Amino acid sequence: IAEQETISTELTQDEIDALLFMREEEKLARDVYLTLYEKWDLVLFNNIARSEQRHMDAVKTLIDRYGLEDPMLGEVGEFTNQDLQSLYDDLIIKGSQSISDALLVGGAIEEIDILDLQEGLKETTNPDVTRVFESLLRGSYSHLRAFVNNYNRQTGGTYEPQYMTQNAFDEIIGQSNANGNGRSQSTTTMGRRGGRR
């Protein structure tokens, strides 16, 4: 605790919480994609898993820079944060049912990631955190588009947002969903406040 007090002038508790949470949330993405790649042999999962590893490394750089304790556990599929542990377990069950379900899981992870990063960016004034989170956000936009395009091709259907509002989703995908039902969904996620308030 004493160590964290020495850095309180540099990072707020919200910023610390956000960094520690994103370290494991990016690990969740990587671990799910590695597991689903083994299951379905779809190269998309392997490619995006490698990108998620870079995201994890970027957050780890800040954890080290600010003298925080890394929450990450070494094993695939194991998490310190119990909300993320539960989410991982649920997503693996769903993604193991079919390739289309696996692609929906990929989309869900990226939507959750985007919402949590946007929340983190609202709460930080630290330029290091802002820079890393903005970079991660751009990556997640790209990953979401990849999962959406693959899902649409694979199923002949149309991917519908699972966590984001239709408008926010359409903005990221860069097109209006012609048959969008315009439903507005709650933007609450498995975010770091999930079990704390």
Side-chain angles (χ1 to χ4, degrees):
I1 293 174
E3 184 184 22
Q4 295 216 348
E5 283 171 2
T6 63
I7 57 143
S8 62
T9 52
E10 298 182 68
L11 286 181
T12 65
Q13 191 59 51
D14 277 345
E15 289 165 341
I16 291 168
D17 290 346
L19 279 176
L20 299 181
F21 184 80
M22 286 316 300
R23 171 78 164 147
E24 284 208 296
E25 189 166 86
E26 298 298 336
K27 178 184 188 289
L28 176 140
R30 184 202 66 178
D31 290 0
V32 169
Y33 301 157
L34 286 174
T35 304
L36 293 180
Y37 174 63
E38 281 179 22
K39 172 84 179 169
W40 301 112
D41 200 31
L42 197 63
V43 72
L44 174 69
F45 284 115
N46 196 38
N47 291 344
I48 297 184
R50 283 206 302 270
S51 177
E52 299 296 352
Q53 179 65 58
R54 289 193 295 275
H55 289 189
M56 288 164 59
D57 295 343
V59 177
K60 176 70 160 59
T61 300
L62 293 189
I63 285 174
D64 292 344
R65 181 176 301 165
Y66 288 95
L68 305 177
E69 187 178 336
D70 186 7
M72 197 186 96
L73 302 174
E75 296 299 314
V76 168
E78 289 189 6
F79 302 89
T80 302
N81 182 299
Q82 288 309 298
D83 288 339
L84 291 176
Q85 185 68 63
S86 299
L87 182 60
Y88 174 86
D89 296 340
D90 292 346
L91 291 173
I92 291 300
I93 291 167
K94 182 178 181 187
S96 298
Q97 291 170 11
S98 68
I99 287 187
S100 60
D101 281 316
L103 291 168
L104 282 177
V105 160
I109 288 171
E110 299 303 334
E111 287 185 47
I112 291 169
D113 224 5
I114 287 165
L115 291 167
D116 285 339
L117 284 164
Q118 287 171 339
E119 183 186 344
L121 279 165
K122 277 188 221 152
E123 293 176 350
T124 185
T125 55
N126 182 294
D128 286 342
V129 177
T130 299
R131 188 168 57 251
V132 167
F133 279 16
E134 284 178 347
S135 172
L136 267 50
L137 199 53
R138 286 191 297 274
S140 286
Y141 289 163
S142 173
H143 298 163
L144 179 58
R145 288 187 203 105
F147 282 122
V148 167
N149 291 337
N150 274 267
Y151 176 83
N152 291 348
R153 272 205 308 274
Q154 190 80 231
T155 64
T158 302
Y159 179 102
E160 291 193 355
Q162 302 169 75
Y163 290 88
M164 312 181 85
T165 64
Q166 188 73 49
N167 287 346
F169 173 79
D170 289 344
E171 203 174 303
I172 291 166
I173 300 306
Q175 65 193 31
S176 182
N177 184 352
N179 64 349
N181 55 19
R183 74 190 157 167
S184 176
Q185 288 178 289
S186 164
T187 55
T188 54
T189 68
M190 290 298 296
R192 53 190 180 278
R193 288 172 181 69
R196 295 196 190 170
R197 279 192 178 163

